Structure formats: structure tokens, C-alpha cells
Amino acid sequence: MTVLLGESERWHHKPVYTEIVHRAHRAGLAGASVFHGIEGFGASSLIHTSRLLSLSEDLPVAVIVVDTEERVRAFLPELDELVGKGLVILDACEVVRHTARTGGAAS
């Protein structure tokens, strides 16, 4: 699942992307990452870019959440209250490699 929104979107004075990641973690989903965009536009059609200081306060952010389709769909109601302005996309994906550390320092 990909959630696209502006970095200035807030939930109880915290960034929405932070709340999504923390809720996904509490829900036991396989993983979530936030990617900061350097340029983009959405429903407002206003281009936000890191090249112009006046428009750099609301750059695009993508939150990627990965798990089985069933578990991602079960998580969708969490987004209903968080994502007021944004886009939620469900994509099929094929995991070709997934490794996890099993405690201790990497050698």
C-alpha cells in the first residue's frame, strides 16, 4: 500500500506519516517506510518543490506499507481517520527477498 500526502498534514500535532508508521507497527504489519519527495502536486494542482523556498513547506511524502493483501486491507480503517487530504493506493507486489536480523550485532 502507498499513501501519498503532504508533509505538513498533521494528526494531533504530529505528522500523519509518523502516525501511520506507528499504527502499522502496532498492528504487526511486516514493514513501513516513509519517503520524502522533492517535487510533486496533488488535487490542488499546485506544484510543491524543494527548489522554491516559498513552496518547500509542504513537500510530498510517500508512506509504503508492505504485508499480505488481507492484512493491509484490514489496516485500511486506520487510515480513514488519518488521511484527510491524500491518496491511498493498493498495489499487488511480489516479495523476492526478505531478510531479518535475529538479534545481536551484524557480523
Side-chain angles (χ1 to χ4, degrees):
M1 170 179 63
T2 303
V3 181
L4 301 168
L5 45 98
E7 69 179 340
S8 68
E9 295 298 315
R10 295 284 182 258
W11 172 257
H12 295 272
H13 308 290
K14 293 190 317 189
V16 170
Y17 58 83
T18 297
E19 187 66 16
I20 294 170
V21 169
H22 286 261
R23 287 188 187 198
H25 185 257
R26 281 194 307 268
L29 297 178
S33 297
V34 178
F35 298 92
H36 197 243
I38 57 172
E39 190 165 23
F41 71 93
S44 71
S45 294
L46 180 64
I47 294 179
H48 298 272
T49 176
S50 60
R51 292 180 289 131
L52 299 173
L53 290 176
S54 63
L55 297 176
S56 65
E57 64 234 15
D58 194 22
L59 292 171
V61 173
V63 183
I64 311 294
V65 178
V66 179
D67 207 308
T68 64
E69 179 181 356
E70 179 180 284
R71 291 177 53 86
V72 169
R73 285 189 182 277
F75 184 71
L76 286 175
E78 293 278 347
L79 300 179
D80 288 342
E81 61 181 326
L82 295 176
V83 181
K85 290 176 12 185
L87 178 66
V88 178
I89 302 167
L90 294 178
D91 291 314
C93 73
E94 179 182 355
V95 175
V96 294
R97 181 179 167 103
H98 178 255
T99 59
R101 279 192 244 169
T102 57
S107 48

